[in-house]
Amino acid sequence: MGATRLTYLDHAATTPVRPEVAEALRPWLGPTFGNASSAHRFGRTARVAADEAKRALAAALGAEPNQVIFTSGGTEADNLAVVGAALAARERGDPFRVAVSAIEHKAVLEAAHWVTALGGETIVIPVTSSGLLDEAALDDALRRDLALVSVMWANNEVGVLQPVGRIAARCRAAGVAFHSDAVQAFGRVPVSLRETGLDLLSISGHKIGAPQGIGALIVRERRLVAPLQHGGGQQYGLRPGTENVPGIVALGRAAELAAAEGPALAVTLARLRDLLECRLRELLPDVVIHAEYSPRAPHIASFSVPGTESDVVLMQLDLAGVACSAGSACSSGTTEPSHVLAAMEVPEPLARAALRVSLGHDTTAADVAHLLEVLPGAVTRARALAAALQA
Ligand code: PLP
């Protein structure tokens, strides 16, 4: 028996470290080291490398280097933005109230719940059935005094792109700070702080070919956020702690690659995604493609095959060597019904069938073909199981 071909189509969960990034990182795992806060030559070497990476990241995001705060990833960046902005507002005597969209990643939603737990208030702004922010509800929220509005750039389950420039303009006119979680957008669509007028922007390294455990919050004006950690005063006191220089160097290199290759990659990914969806409709005529007619990031396809449960199909695909994920949020291994699909009013049985296929830098037409080859069989077995369980 030949070895099973392995196909990874879960790049929205994490994507492999790019070889160019590994090469930039390598000296920092061996001979080169230093605490970037030390005054001696080892420290200065680390500072120079971290500053260079910071410049590369800032350039890729249309920001200034002194607007970059490195974090341990997207989750920490989102928490610093949402809770940090709410705490800063409270300290200034401004309203301790934030508004977030209903389809945010848990990192934003749970951070907003923390604001509520600390005695503040959270307004959840609904989305339409296309997954786009309900802008009338945004205007209602902006009529209340707010510390922050947080609306993600690209959704991690269905890929929907929000009109962040327009939302930023509305927030600005209302005098409210605007944060966007661009973890899924960065590297796949153009992301620029300068061009969109955002105040706060989160990104994560492991979605663009850097290792897990490094990310950043871009902060237009530092007075907008209060720190959540307290310590040695590094990073303007907003994120104290010894800087993760290896991670920062890797993120800088990955950001350079994203800036250089992003536009061409977006075209390739969109072509592969369209091919996938077109063939899916032929093979499984009753398939429902979520947010099909909405503006979407090119790397995510989300769909449901009626009469199946996503975890059964995923297991079948895994046995056949194909890795993708459920449309529902999967945190620490437990699959709950997706709050994103619920907010888009996708009926529960379809939401339970949702699959997310996400493409990456090295995805090829052969990978998509592998999925399409094994999916109909997986669906047949999943339907048979569902029927047997009902009998
Ligand atoms: N925000 C979005 C949209 C994401 O997709 C993710 C990760 O899946 C995160 C935040 C969390 O990022 P990290 O895994 O770096 O903490």
Side-chain angles (χ1 to χ4, degrees), residues 12-13 73-76 78 105 107 152 154 156 181 183-184 204 206-207:
T75 300
E76 190 192 331
D78 285 344
H105 188 273
M152 71 202 313
N156 49 299
D181 172 337
V183 164
Q184 293 294 341
S204 173
H206 74 104
K207 312 292 183 178

Side-chain angles (χ1 to χ4, degrees), residues 155-167:
N155 180 265
N156 49 299
E157 291 187 30
V158 291
V160 172
L161 291 168
Q162 301 295 337
V164 280
R166 204 158 68 219
I167 298 170

Side-chain angles (χ1 to χ4, degrees), residues 15-107:
T15 198
V17 173
R18 302 262 318 251
E20 301 91 328
V21 172
E23 199 180 311
L25 177 60
R26 198 159 293 121
W28 293 92
L29 301 175
T32 314
F33 72 98
N35 183 324
S37 298
S38 301
H40 49 61
R41 67 188 62 222
F42 296 89
R44 289 197 303 276
T45 302
R47 170 59 57 214
V48 166
D51 283 352
E52 202 176 297
K54 189 184 279 195
R55 277 195 294 277
L57 181 64
L61 291 169
E64 299 301 322
N66 63 8
Q67 294 174 321
V68 174
I69 305 292
F70 291 109
T71 63
S72 63
T75 300
E76 190 192 331
D78 285 344
N79 274 265
L80 182 55
V82 175
V83 185
L87 291 177
R90 186 170 70 173
E91 280 165 22
R92 290 194 301 266
D94 287 341
F96 193 34
R97 188 180 296 123
V98 297
V100 301
S101 91
I103 58 165
E104 292 303 302
H105 188 273
K106 285 284 166 81

